[in-house]
Amino acid sequence: YCVEFKTESLSHYCALENRPYARWMQYLREGHTVCVACQPPAMNTDTHRCSGDGHNADGGKILRWEAIGNSRCQGTWKKIRQLEQCSCPLVHSFIFT
């Protein structure tokens, strides 16, 4: 499954990232919608959920995120909706880890 979030805030360290495999962090923006896929091995085998997916969060709850590979690139987002059939676009798509 996938979860759509609206990015509320992010640290300025995301824009400073210039390592080739992590340049995607430069494109994160406040107010943008991102789509995050929950797949193994991040998916818990018992609950079939990914940690941090906002399962019990309503649209008003602010949740925290952190980028893998640069723990200083972090911020907050609000859950928009969960999609059982993933249809994440090629840009602004991520995977829970």
Side-chain angles (χ1 to χ4, degrees), residues 47-79:
T47 64
H48 299 285
R49 303 207 67 82
C50 283
S51 176
D53 70 358
H55 175 61
N56 294 320
D58 61 24
K61 185 171 184 180
I62 294 177
L63 307 167
R64 299 196 58 74
W65 59 267
E66 179 180 301
I68 296 297
N70 181 351
S71 61
R72 296 169 83 182
C73 177
Q74 54 187 279
T76 59
W77 56 18
K78 289 183 181 177
K79 180 180 176 181

Side-chain angles (χ1 to χ4, degrees), residues 1 4 9 12 20 24 34-35 46 55 57 62 69 73 78 83 94:
Y1 68 93
E4 289 182 346
S9 68
H12 74 279
W24 60 268
V34 296
C35 186
D46 295 329
H55 175 61
I62 294 177
C73 177
K78 289 183 181 177
L83 305 167
F94 306 96

